[in-house]
Amino acid sequence: MRGSKMVGCAIVVALAATACGGSGGDSESKGSSGGGFSMNIAEPKRLVPQSTTESGGSQVLSGLFTPLVDFDAKNQPVLAAAESIESPDNKVWTVKLKDATWHDGKPVTAKDYVGAWNWGAYGPNAADGNYFFGTIQGYDEMNPVDPDGEEGPKKAEEPKAKELSGLKVIDDKTFEITLKAPFAGYKSVLGYTVFYPMPESALTDLKAYEEAPIGQGPFQMDGKWNHDKFVKVKAYPDYKLGEKPKVDSVEFRIFQDQNTAYNDLLANNLDIVDQIPTEVMGTAPGELGDRFKTSQASTFQFVAFPTYDKKYSDARVRKAISMAIDRDEIIKVVFQDSQSSARSFVSPVVGGYREDTCGEACKFDPAAAKKLLAEAGGIEGNKINIGHNADGGHEQWINATCDQLKKNLGLDCVSQAVPKFAELLTQVENKKFSGMFRMGWIMDYPSMENYLGPLYSTGGSSNYYGYSNKDFDRLLQEGREAKTEAEAIQKWQAAEDILAKDMPVIPLRFGKNVFGHSTNVKNVEMNLFNQVELTKVEKS
Amino acid sequence: MGRYVARRLLQMLPVIIGTTFLVFALVTAMGGDPVQNLYGERPVPESIRVALTAQYHLDDPLPIRYGYYLAGLVQGDFGTSLSGSRPISEMIADAWPETLRIAGIAFVFEMIIGVAAGVMAGMRRGKFLDNLVLLSTLTVIAVPIFVLGQVSQIFLGVKAGIFPVSGTNEGFVSYLLPGLVLGSVSLAYIARLARASVAENLRMDYVRTAKAKGLSPSRITGIHVLRNSLIPVVTYLGADLGTLMGGAIVTERIFNIPGVGYNLFKAIQIEDGPALVGFVTLLVIVYVVMALVVDLLYAVLDPRIRYA
């Protein structure tokens, strides 16, 4: 029996070891440590600028890097890392850089920008931000498509080029971008995460680089990215590209669940929560007092009509459905005022936004809605459905919307859940989904064009419902090629007016940043990209 | 004994191959689109889809993909995760110790308190203590774990400040509350199991004989009754340790412990086949080993059971 005794002992030892093995207290317990603060993020997918499009990674990188342009209070681009961004014809853009150094002391050069962008644009690298480079000349040569579709036996061919022909290094501090087509608002595009540079050394071993990215921004890494736990950064002493941070350090704590982060905020263990969970929206203003904050965000939620579904082919039917929805009530009851009603086709955060462009069609008027539907001859089968992805938490508001439609139009309305958004899109693309479906959009750069193009132009990247209008496309393109911003906006507004007539989608809600902070910090602001402005935060 | 152990370990191989293949097949059968899942609601550029599909063999038939996976596994390579493209072995190495810590605390807690409460209740059937144990265990079993977790987090963490609210950065203390919450349900089962078992054994003939021989009551219960009563409890504990080590999705989420449960949840969410299979393989190994350990412990408790 000696053997079995030993087994018993081994178990006891193992248990003791695991239960007593603390993690060695590798971080401060309190939210504020010395001159720093902490905030919550979700585990970043990657920390490579060209491959970071989700909020957790972007938030960290916004501290480590300075973009070429930033945005002022009116969401107009202002130069940040760039000395100047000029173009005679809006097609060839010359970018001059300010003097700056990487966190390891080496100077930032034009090569660092061009190299990083080329890496991002090269298809086989599968960078998440790849499509942002699609407007630059030479992108297509780097991103061949599968000749016979995904299902076919033929493999996609090798890319013909490894570098964007539209990117040229002029000298150490200057490079040139040639676009496929003129675009007056291109300066605004360059404010996004994927246009950050990377030091040349990064490209030789990206895996090693992203564990502790070297940037040229106000903060530098403090230690390595501790996966699923935290990322720490500290102020970079030689920062010259803009405002220096008012704190010594920031700890990005990785949370799985917003509710937990919120509880940590209540206990003053965490300084900033960038999103108050909907569950506590009712109690949070009371619990946080003036530390409960909201600001305008770029999110746009709407319901789309697939053009292949004949049920909704009459614009009067689409307008009637829109008029029968009481947006304000849903926002109050379901969202506890954490969003605002949408009655336009572009978000209020972009230049050229006008209130109520949707006009009558977005005003809640059940009587008129009923009349209009009757004029259009009602709806086939007297039954409609609204599709959504079950993992997105949309059930509640869709049910509320359905209840309103039942009550106000006398229709039968069903919410149809598909497990995941990807599946919903696949069904729509294969014309298998019948009915309306929900959609959401977050902008990439603050311009009307970034709503109009992807969402409503023929073949737009997120135009899954197949809306197509030649006049709209023409006006959109004319706006892109306009000489001045003012002229561009005029064209785009004319394009938006077409949408109000056609009603390809029902605008429902614009998002807000709803955030909160502890008693340790003040001046907490969030920008359009749903990010906390790290350099503005002060200790209180 | 040694041969028995070796045989049991060899039996693990087909079990592991079978389960990993099953998980692989199930993930494939979900028929989702992992590439789109990675992108959330953003459009996926065609060229990226092509690159990722080639990289992870997403368009190959199931047996071939599984072959790729096994070939890697034999070389000690668990593959890379779809999200963030981290090596899965690294993810396991990070997550596993976290789960072990809360599992260890939960296990010790349920073992000591559960067995003690059960034995005491069994000895004093129908008395106040017995009723107290029955009532409290019933309550714990009836309350869902996410309620228990959130309520204890808000009251003991946020309001009273006795425990850290979440996270793992205060060493041992950070794991205490999640461990206790995680162990509470099993503790209730163990207490009830031990109570029934002790009560049954106290009525046995050998206890009457021992009393008649004049053995002291403490020796009768402490040695004879306890040892015989613990066999079902040990079985339950062993199985439970396997479950505990499998990570606790709900508890880890509430207390923000980046353990196995968290990784499983993430992998299921984005249909990350490689990561899912990697973690499940680990769970299978844990279960099989725990079952073996429990079987060996029987021999310690009851000499009549031999593995010759």
Coordinates of all heavy atoms in Angstrom, one line a residue, chain A residues 4 11 15 18-19 21 23 27 29 45 126-128 130-131 143 145 150 155-156 192 207 227-229 254-256 260 263-264 267 420-422 438 444 461-462 464, chain B residues 36-39 41-43 45-50 59 84-86 98 101 107 153 158 165-166 168-170 172 252-254 256-258 262 266 269 271 293 300:
Chain A
S4 N -0.1 3.9 -2.8 CA -1.3 4.7 -2.7 C -1.2 5.8 -1.7 O -1.7 6.8 -1.8 CB -2.5 3.8 -2.3 OG -2.2 3.0 -1.2
I11 N -1.3 14.7 -3.8 CA -2.5 15.6 -4.0 C -2.5 16.7 -3.0 O -2.7 17.9 -3.4 CB -3.8 14.7 -3.9 CG1 -3.9 13.8 -5.0 CG2 -5.0 15.7 -3.8 CD1 -5.1 12.9 -5.0
L15 N -2.3 20.6 -4.0 CA -3.4 21.6 -3.7 C -2.8 22.8 -2.9 O -3.1 23.9 -3.1 CB -4.4 20.9 -2.8 CG -5.5 20.2 -3.6 CD1 -6.5 19.5 -2.6 CD2 -6.3 21.2 -4.4
T18 N -1.1 25.1 -5.2 CA -2.0 26.0 -6.0 C -2.7 27.0 -5.2 O -2.9 28.2 -5.6 CB -3.0 25.2 -6.9 OG1 -3.7 24.3 -5.9 CG2 -2.3 24.3 -7.9
A19 N -3.2 26.6 -4.1 CA -4.1 27.5 -3.3 C -3.2 28.6 -2.7 O -3.7 29.7 -2.5 CB -4.8 26.7 -2.2
G21 N -0.4 29.7 -4.1 CA 0.5 30.5 -5.0 C -0.2 31.7 -5.4 O -1.0 31.7 -6.4
S23 N -0.3 35.6 -7.0 CA 0.3 36.0 -8.3 C 1.5 37.0 -8.0 O 2.0 37.6 -8.9 CB -0.7 36.7 -9.2 OG -1.2 37.9 -8.6
S27 N 0.9 44.4 -9.1 CA 0.4 45.7 -9.5 C -0.2 46.4 -8.3 O -0.5 45.7 -7.3 CB -0.7 45.5 -10.6 OG -1.8 46.2 -10.2
S29 N -2.9 48.0 -5.9 CA -4.3 47.5 -5.7 C -5.3 48.6 -5.9 O -6.4 48.5 -6.4 CB -4.4 46.9 -4.3 OG -4.2 48.0 -3.4
K45 N -7.1 42.7 -29.5 CA -6.9 41.6 -30.4 C -5.4 41.6 -30.8 O -4.7 40.6 -30.7 CB -7.7 41.7 -31.6 CG -8.5 40.5 -32.0 CD -9.4 40.8 -33.1 CE -8.7 40.5 -34.5 NZ -9.6 40.7 -35.6
A126 N -3.1 39.9 -43.8 CA -4.4 39.8 -43.2 C -4.5 40.8 -42.0 O -5.0 40.5 -41.0 CB -4.7 38.4 -42.6
A127 N -4.1 42.1 -42.3 CA -4.2 43.1 -41.3 C -5.7 43.5 -41.2 O -6.3 43.7 -42.3 CB -3.3 44.3 -41.7
D128 N -6.2 43.7 -40.0 CA -7.6 44.1 -39.9 C -7.9 45.5 -40.5 O -9.0 45.7 -40.9 CB -8.0 44.2 -38.4 CG -8.2 42.9 -37.8 OD1 -7.9 41.9 -38.5 OD2 -8.6 42.8 -36.6
N130 N -6.7 46.6 -43.2 CA -6.4 46.5 -44.6 C -7.2 47.4 -45.6 O -6.7 48.1 -46.4 CB -6.4 45.0 -45.1 CG -6.3 44.8 -46.6 OD1 -7.2 45.1 -47.3 ND2 -5.2 44.3 -47.0
Y131 N -8.5 47.4 -45.4 CA -9.4 48.1 -46.4 C -9.3 49.6 -46.3 O -9.7 50.3 -47.2 CB -10.8 47.6 -46.3 CG -11.6 48.2 -45.1 CD1 -12.5 49.2 -45.3 CD2 -11.6 47.6 -43.9 CE1 -13.2 49.7 -44.3 CE2 -12.3 48.1 -42.8 CZ -13.2 49.1 -43.0 OH -13.9 49.6 -42.0
N143 N -3.9 43.1 -53.4 CA -5.0 42.3 -52.8 C -5.8 41.6 -53.9 O -6.9 42.0 -54.2 CB -5.9 43.3 -52.1 CG -5.2 43.8 -50.8 OD1 -5.2 43.1 -49.8 ND2 -4.7 45.0 -50.9
V145 N -8.2 39.1 -55.8 CA -9.4 38.3 -55.3 C -9.4 36.9 -55.9 O -8.8 36.7 -57.0 CB -10.7 39.0 -55.7 CG1 -10.8 40.3 -54.8 CG2 -10.7 39.4 -57.1
E150 N -15.0 32.1 -53.4 CA -14.4 31.4 -52.3 C -14.6 29.9 -52.5 O -13.7 29.1 -52.1 CB -15.1 31.7 -51.0 CG -14.6 33.0 -50.3 CD -15.6 33.4 -49.2 OE1 -15.7 32.6 -48.3 OE2 -16.2 34.4 -49.4
K155 N -7.2 28.7 -56.3 CA -6.7 29.5 -55.2 C -6.5 30.9 -55.7 O -6.2 31.1 -56.9 CB -5.3 28.9 -54.7 CG -5.5 27.6 -53.9 CD -5.7 28.0 -52.4 CE -5.9 26.7 -51.6 NZ -7.2 26.5 -51.1
A156 N -6.6 31.8 -54.8 CA -6.3 33.2 -55.2 C -4.8 33.3 -55.6 O -4.0 32.6 -55.1 CB -6.5 34.1 -54.0
Y192 N -7.0 58.1 -38.3 CA -7.3 56.8 -37.7 C -6.1 56.0 -37.3 O -5.0 56.1 -37.9 CB -8.2 56.0 -38.8 CG -9.0 54.9 -38.2 CD1 -10.0 55.2 -37.2 CD2 -8.7 53.6 -38.5 CE1 -10.7 54.1 -36.6 CE2 -9.4 52.6 -37.9 CZ -10.4 52.8 -37.0 OH -11.1 51.8 -36.4
K207 N 5.6 39.8 -33.9 CA 5.1 39.2 -32.7 C 5.8 39.7 -31.5 O 5.2 40.0 -30.4 CB 5.4 37.7 -32.8 CG 4.3 36.9 -33.5 CD 3.3 36.4 -32.4 CE 1.9 36.4 -32.8 NZ 1.1 37.6 -32.6
H227 N -1.2 39.8 -21.1 CA -2.4 39.3 -21.8 C -3.5 39.0 -20.8 O -3.3 38.4 -19.7 CB -2.2 38.1 -22.6 CG -1.4 38.4 -23.9 ND1 -2.1 38.8 -25.0 CD2 -0.1 38.4 -24.2 CE1 -1.2 39.0 -26.0 NE2 0.0 38.8 -25.5
D228 N -4.7 39.5 -21.1 CA -5.9 39.3 -20.3 C -5.9 39.9 -18.9 O -6.8 39.8 -18.1 CB -6.2 37.8 -20.1 CG -6.4 37.0 -21.4 OD1 -6.9 37.7 -22.3 OD2 -6.1 35.9 -21.5
K229 N -4.8 40.6 -18.6 CA -4.7 41.2 -17.2 C -4.6 42.7 -17.3 O -5.4 43.5 -16.9 CB -3.6 40.6 -16.4 CG -3.8 39.2 -16.0 CD -2.8 38.7 -15.0 CE -3.1 37.4 -14.5 NZ -2.0 36.8 -13.8
I254 N -7.7 45.0 -18.0 CA -8.5 44.2 -18.9 C -9.7 43.5 -18.2 O -9.4 42.8 -17.3 CB -7.6 43.2 -19.7 CG1 -6.6 44.0 -20.6 CG2 -8.5 42.3 -20.6 CD1 -5.5 43.2 -21.1
F255 N -10.9 43.8 -18.6 CA -12.1 43.2 -18.0 C -12.8 42.4 -19.0 O -12.9 42.7 -20.2 CB -13.0 44.4 -17.5 CG -12.6 44.9 -16.2 CD1 -11.6 46.0 -16.1 CD2 -13.1 44.4 -15.0 CE1 -11.2 46.5 -14.9 CE2 -12.7 45.0 -13.8 CZ -11.8 46.0 -13.7
Q256 N -13.4 41.3 -18.5 CA -14.3 40.5 -19.3 C -15.7 41.0 -19.4 O -16.4 40.8 -20.3 CB -14.3 39.1 -18.7 CG -13.0 38.4 -18.5 CD -13.1 37.1 -17.7 OE1 -14.0 36.3 -17.9 NE2 -12.2 36.9 -16.8
T260 N -18.6 44.1 -14.0 CA -17.5 44.0 -13.0 C -16.7 45.3 -12.9 O -16.3 45.8 -11.8 CB -16.6 42.8 -13.3 OG1 -17.4 41.7 -13.6 CG2 -15.6 42.5 -12.2
N263 N -18.5 47.8 -11.0 CA -18.5 47.6 -9.5 C -17.1 48.1 -9.0 O -17.0 48.6 -7.8 CB -18.7 46.1 -9.2 CG -20.1 45.7 -9.3 OD1 -21.0 46.6 -9.3 ND2 -20.4 44.4 -9.4
D264 N -16.0 47.8 -9.7 CA -14.7 48.3 -9.3 C -14.7 49.8 -9.3 O -14.0 50.4 -8.4 CB -13.7 47.8 -10.3 CG -12.9 46.6 -9.6 OD1 -12.7 46.7 -8.4 OD2 -12.4 45.7 -10.3
A267 N -16.3 51.0 -6.1 CA -15.4 50.8 -4.9 C -14.2 51.7 -5.0 O -13.3 51.6 -4.2 CB -15.0 49.3 -4.9
K420 N -25.6 34.7 -34.9 CA -24.4 35.6 -35.0 C -24.6 36.6 -36.1 O -25.3 36.3 -37.1 CB -23.1 34.9 -35.1 CG -22.7 34.2 -33.9 CD -21.2 33.8 -34.1 CE -20.6 33.2 -32.9 NZ -21.2 33.3 -31.6
F421 N -24.0 37.8 -36.0 CA -24.1 38.8 -37.1 C -23.6 38.2 -38.4 O -24.2 38.5 -39.4 CB -23.3 40.0 -36.7 CG -23.6 41.2 -37.5 CD1 -24.9 41.8 -37.4 CD2 -22.7 41.7 -38.4 CE1 -25.2 42.9 -38.2 CE2 -23.0 42.8 -39.2 CZ -24.2 43.4 -39.1
A422 N -22.5 37.5 -38.3 CA -21.9 36.9 -39.5 C -22.9 36.1 -40.3 O -23.0 36.1 -41.5 CB -20.7 36.1 -39.2
R438 N -31.6 44.5 -38.6 CA -31.0 45.7 -37.9 C -29.5 45.8 -38.4 O -28.9 44.8 -38.8 CB -30.9 45.5 -36.4 CG -30.0 44.4 -35.9 CD -29.3 44.7 -34.6 NE -28.3 45.7 -34.7 CZ -27.0 45.5 -34.9 NH1 -26.6 44.3 -35.0 NH2 -26.2 46.5 -34.9
D444 N -15.2 55.6 -39.5 CA -13.8 55.5 -39.5 C -13.1 56.8 -39.4 O -12.0 56.9 -38.9 CB -13.4 54.7 -40.7 CG -14.1 53.4 -40.9 OD1 -14.2 52.7 -39.8 OD2 -14.5 53.0 -42.0
S461 N -19.3 49.1 -48.9 CA -18.7 48.0 -48.2 C -19.7 47.4 -47.1 O -19.6 46.3 -46.8 CB -17.4 48.4 -47.5 OG -17.6 49.4 -46.6
S462 N -20.6 48.3 -46.6 CA -21.5 47.7 -45.7 C -23.0 47.8 -46.2 O -23.9 47.8 -45.4 CB -21.4 48.5 -44.3 OG -20.3 48.0 -43.6
Y464 N -25.3 46.0 -47.3 CA -25.7 44.6 -47.5 C -27.0 44.4 -48.1 O -27.4 43.4 -48.6 CB -25.6 43.8 -46.2 CG -24.2 43.8 -45.6 CD1 -23.9 44.6 -44.5 CD2 -23.2 43.0 -46.1 CE1 -22.6 44.6 -44.0 CE2 -22.0 43.0 -45.6 CZ -21.7 43.8 -44.5 OH -20.4 43.8 -44.0
Chain B
Q36 N -15.6 36.3 -40.3 CA -16.5 37.5 -40.0 C -16.6 37.7 -38.5 O -16.7 38.9 -38.1 CB -17.9 37.2 -40.6 CG -18.9 38.3 -40.4 CD -18.5 39.6 -41.1 OE1 -18.3 39.6 -42.3 NE2 -18.5 40.7 -40.4
N37 N -16.6 36.7 -37.7 CA -16.7 36.8 -36.3 C -15.6 37.7 -35.7 O -15.8 38.5 -34.8 CB -16.7 35.5 -35.5 CG -18.0 34.7 -35.8 OD1 -19.0 35.3 -36.2 ND2 -18.0 33.4 -35.6
L38 N -14.4 37.5 -36.3 CA -13.3 38.3 -35.9 C -13.5 39.8 -36.2 O -13.0 40.6 -35.5 CB -12.0 37.8 -36.7 CG -11.4 36.5 -36.3 CD1 -10.2 36.3 -37.1 CD2 -10.9 36.6 -34.8
Y39 N -14.2 40.0 -37.2 CA -14.4 41.4 -37.6 C -15.6 42.1 -37.0 O -15.9 43.2 -37.3 CB -14.5 41.5 -39.2 CG -13.2 41.7 -39.8 CD1 -12.3 40.6 -39.8 CD2 -12.8 42.9 -40.4 CE1 -11.0 40.8 -40.3 CE2 -11.6 43.1 -40.9 CZ -10.7 42.0 -40.9 OH -9.4 42.2 -41.5
E41 N -18.9 43.6 -36.7 CA -19.9 44.0 -37.7 C -19.3 44.8 -38.9 O -19.9 45.4 -39.7 CB -21.0 44.8 -37.0 CG -21.6 44.0 -35.9 CD -22.9 44.7 -35.4 OE1 -23.3 45.7 -35.9 OE2 -23.5 44.1 -34.4
R42 N -17.9 44.7 -39.0 CA -17.3 45.4 -40.1 C -17.2 44.5 -41.3 O -17.1 43.2 -41.1 CB -15.8 45.7 -39.7 CG -15.8 46.9 -38.8 CD -14.3 47.2 -38.3 NE -14.3 48.3 -37.5 CZ -14.1 49.6 -38.0 NH1 -14.0 49.8 -39.3 NH2 -14.1 50.6 -37.2
P43 N -17.2 45.0 -42.5 CA -17.0 44.2 -43.6 C -15.6 43.6 -43.7 O -14.6 44.2 -43.3 CB -17.2 45.1 -44.8 CG -17.0 46.5 -44.3 CD -17.3 46.4 -42.8
P45 N -12.5 42.5 -46.0 CA -12.0 42.6 -47.4 C -11.8 41.2 -47.9 O -11.3 40.3 -47.2 CB -10.7 43.3 -47.2 CG -10.7 43.9 -45.9 CD -11.6 43.1 -45.0
E46 N -12.1 41.0 -49.2 CA -11.9 39.7 -49.9 C -10.5 39.1 -49.7 O -10.4 37.9 -49.3 CB -12.2 39.9 -51.4 CG -12.0 38.7 -52.2 CD -13.2 37.8 -52.1 OE1 -14.3 38.2 -51.7 OE2 -13.0 36.6 -52.5
S47 N -9.5 39.9 -49.8 CA -8.1 39.4 -49.8 C -7.8 38.9 -48.4 O -7.0 37.9 -48.2 CB -7.1 40.5 -50.2 OG -7.3 41.6 -49.4
I48 N -8.3 39.5 -47.4 CA -8.1 39.1 -46.0 C -8.8 37.8 -45.8 O -8.2 36.9 -45.1 CB -8.7 40.1 -45.0 CG1 -8.0 41.5 -45.2 CG2 -8.5 39.7 -43.6 CD1 -6.6 41.6 -44.8
R49 N -10.0 37.7 -46.3 CA -10.7 36.4 -46.1 C -9.9 35.3 -46.7 O -9.7 34.2 -46.1 CB -12.1 36.5 -46.8 CG -12.9 35.3 -46.6 CD -14.3 35.5 -47.3 NE -15.1 36.3 -46.4 CZ -15.7 35.9 -45.3 NH1 -15.5 34.6 -44.9 NH2 -16.5 36.7 -44.6
V50 N -9.4 35.5 -47.9 CA -8.6 34.5 -48.6 C -7.3 34.1 -47.8 O -7.0 33.0 -47.5 CB -8.1 35.0 -50.0 CG1 -7.1 34.1 -50.6 CG2 -9.3 35.1 -50.9
D59 N -11.0 26.1 -45.4 CA -11.8 25.6 -46.5 C -11.5 24.1 -46.8 O -12.0 23.6 -47.7 CB -11.6 26.5 -47.8 CG -10.1 26.6 -48.1 OD1 -9.3 26.2 -47.3 OD2 -9.8 27.2 -49.2
G84 N -6.3 37.4 -32.3 CA -5.0 37.8 -31.7 C -3.8 36.9 -32.1 O -2.7 37.2 -31.7
S85 N -4.1 35.8 -32.7 CA -3.1 34.9 -33.2 C -2.0 34.6 -32.2 O -0.8 34.7 -32.5 CB -2.5 35.3 -34.5 OG -2.1 36.7 -34.4
R86 N -2.4 34.4 -30.9 CA -1.4 33.9 -29.9 C -1.3 32.4 -30.0 O -2.2 31.7 -30.3 CB -1.9 34.3 -28.5 CG -1.7 35.7 -28.1 CD -2.2 36.0 -26.7 NE -1.3 35.5 -25.7 CZ -1.7 35.3 -24.4 NH1 -3.0 35.4 -24.1 NH2 -0.8 35.0 -23.5
E98 N -4.3 30.4 -13.1 CA -5.4 31.2 -12.5 C -6.6 30.3 -12.1 O -7.1 30.5 -11.0 CB -5.9 32.2 -13.5 CG -4.9 33.2 -14.1 CD -4.4 34.2 -13.0 OE1 -5.2 34.4 -12.1 OE2 -3.4 34.8 -13.2
R101 N -5.8 28.2 -9.0 CA -5.9 28.9 -7.7 C -7.3 29.0 -7.2 O -7.5 28.6 -6.0 CB -5.3 30.3 -7.9 CG -3.8 30.3 -7.9 CD -3.2 31.7 -8.0 NE -1.8 31.6 -8.5 CZ -1.3 32.2 -9.5 NH1 -2.1 33.0 -10.2 NH2 -0.1 32.0 -9.9
F107 N -11.8 24.0 -3.5 CA -11.8 22.6 -3.2 C -11.5 22.4 -1.7 O -12.1 21.7 -1.0 CB -10.7 21.9 -4.0 CG -10.6 20.4 -3.8 CD1 -11.5 19.6 -4.4 CD2 -9.6 19.8 -3.0 CE1 -11.5 18.2 -4.2 CE2 -9.5 18.5 -2.8 CZ -10.5 17.7 -3.4
Q153 N -20.2 40.0 -4.5 CA -19.3 41.0 -5.0 C -19.7 42.4 -4.5 O -18.9 43.2 -4.0 CB -19.2 40.9 -6.5 CG -18.2 42.0 -7.1 CD -18.1 41.9 -8.6 OE1 -19.1 42.0 -9.3 NE2 -16.9 41.7 -9.1
V158 N -17.8 45.7 -2.9 CA -18.0 47.2 -3.1 C -18.4 47.8 -1.8 O -17.8 48.8 -1.4 CB -19.1 47.4 -4.2 CG1 -19.3 48.9 -4.3 CG2 -18.6 46.8 -5.5
V165 N -12.7 43.7 -5.2 CA -13.9 43.6 -6.0 C -13.7 42.6 -7.2 O -14.5 41.7 -7.4 CB -14.4 44.9 -6.6 CG1 -15.6 44.7 -7.6 CG2 -14.7 45.9 -5.5
S166 N -12.5 42.7 -7.8 CA -12.3 41.8 -8.9 C -10.8 41.8 -9.3 O -10.0 42.5 -8.6 CB -13.0 42.3 -10.2 OG -12.4 43.4 -10.7
T168 N -6.9 40.1 -10.2 CA -6.0 39.1 -9.6 C -4.7 39.8 -9.0 O -3.7 39.1 -8.8 CB -5.5 38.1 -10.6 OG1 -4.9 38.8 -11.7 CG2 -6.6 37.3 -11.2
N169 N -4.8 41.1 -8.9 CA -3.5 41.8 -8.5 C -3.3 42.0 -7.0 O -2.4 42.8 -6.7 CB -3.4 43.1 -9.3 CG -4.6 43.9 -9.2 OD1 -5.4 43.7 -8.3 ND2 -4.8 44.8 -10.1
E170 N -4.0 41.3 -6.2 CA -3.7 41.4 -4.8 C -3.3 40.1 -4.2 O -3.5 39.8 -3.0 CB -4.9 42.0 -4.0 CG -5.1 43.5 -4.4 CD -6.2 44.1 -3.5 OE1 -6.2 43.9 -2.3 OE2 -7.0 44.8 -4.1
F172 N -3.1 36.4 -3.0 CA -3.9 35.3 -2.5 C -5.4 35.8 -2.2 O -6.3 35.2 -2.6 CB -3.3 34.7 -1.2 CG -4.2 33.7 -0.6 CD1 -4.4 32.4 -1.2 CD2 -4.8 33.9 0.6 CE1 -5.2 31.5 -0.6 CE2 -5.6 32.9 1.2 CZ -5.8 31.7 0.6
E252 N -15.6 33.2 -13.1 CA -14.4 33.9 -13.6 C -14.8 35.2 -14.3 O -14.1 36.2 -14.2 CB -13.7 33.0 -14.6 CG -12.9 31.9 -13.9 CD -12.1 31.0 -14.9 OE1 -12.0 31.4 -16.1 OE2 -11.6 29.9 -14.5
R253 N -16.0 35.2 -14.9 CA -16.4 36.4 -15.6 C -16.8 37.5 -14.6 O -16.4 38.6 -14.7 CB -17.6 36.1 -16.5 CG -17.8 37.0 -17.6 CD -19.0 36.6 -18.5 NE -19.4 37.7 -19.2 CZ -18.8 38.1 -20.3 NH1 -17.7 37.6 -20.8 NH2 -19.3 39.2 -21.0
I254 N -17.5 37.1 -13.6 CA -17.9 38.1 -12.6 C -16.7 38.7 -11.8 O -16.7 39.9 -11.6 CB -18.9 37.4 -11.6 CG1 -20.2 37.1 -12.3 CG2 -19.2 38.3 -10.4 CD1 -21.2 36.3 -11.4
N256 N -13.6 38.6 -12.9 CA -12.6 39.0 -13.8 C -11.3 38.2 -13.6 O -10.2 38.8 -13.4 CB -12.3 40.5 -13.7 CG -11.7 41.0 -15.0 OD1 -11.9 40.5 -16.1 ND2 -10.8 42.0 -14.9
I257 N -11.4 36.9 -13.5 CA -10.2 36.0 -13.4 C -9.9 35.5 -14.8 O -10.8 34.8 -15.3 CB -10.5 34.8 -12.4 CG1 -11.1 35.3 -11.1 CG2 -9.3 34.0 -12.2 CD1 -10.2 35.8 -10.1
P258 N -8.8 35.8 -15.3 CA -8.5 35.3 -16.7 C -8.1 33.9 -16.8 O -6.9 33.6 -17.1 CB -7.4 36.3 -17.2 CG -6.7 36.7 -15.9 CD -7.7 36.6 -14.8
Y262 N -12.8 31.7 -18.9 CA -12.8 32.9 -19.7 C -12.3 32.6 -21.2 O -12.9 33.1 -22.1 CB -11.9 33.9 -19.1 CG -11.4 35.1 -19.9 CD1 -12.2 36.0 -20.5 CD2 -10.0 35.2 -20.1 CE1 -11.7 37.1 -21.2 CE2 -9.5 36.3 -20.8 CZ -10.4 37.2 -21.4 OH -9.9 38.2 -22.1
K266 N -14.5 32.9 -24.7 CA -14.1 33.7 -25.8 C -14.0 32.9 -27.1 O -14.5 33.3 -28.1 CB -12.7 34.3 -25.5 CG -12.7 35.8 -25.9 CD -11.5 36.6 -25.4 CE -10.1 35.9 -25.4 NZ -9.1 36.9 -25.2
Q269 N -17.4 32.1 -28.4 CA -18.0 33.2 -29.0 C -17.6 33.5 -30.4 O -18.5 33.8 -31.3 CB -17.7 34.5 -28.2 CG -18.8 35.2 -27.6 CD -18.4 36.4 -26.9 OE1 -17.2 36.7 -26.6 NE2 -19.4 37.3 -26.5
E271 N -16.1 31.2 -32.4 CA -16.0 30.0 -33.1 C -14.5 29.7 -33.4 O -14.1 29.4 -34.5 CB -16.8 29.9 -34.3 CG -18.3 29.9 -34.0 CD -19.2 30.2 -35.2 OE1 -18.8 29.8 -36.3 OE2 -20.2 30.9 -35.0
V293 N -7.0 9.1 -10.0 CA -6.6 9.4 -8.6 C -7.7 9.0 -7.6 O -7.4 8.4 -6.6 CB -6.3 10.9 -8.5 CG1 -6.2 11.3 -7.0 CG2 -5.1 11.3 -9.2
V300 N -6.9 3.3 -0.5 CA -6.4 3.8 0.8 C -7.5 3.7 1.8 O -7.3 3.3 3.0 CB -6.0 5.3 0.6 CG1 -5.5 5.8 2.0 CG2 -4.9 5.4 -0.4

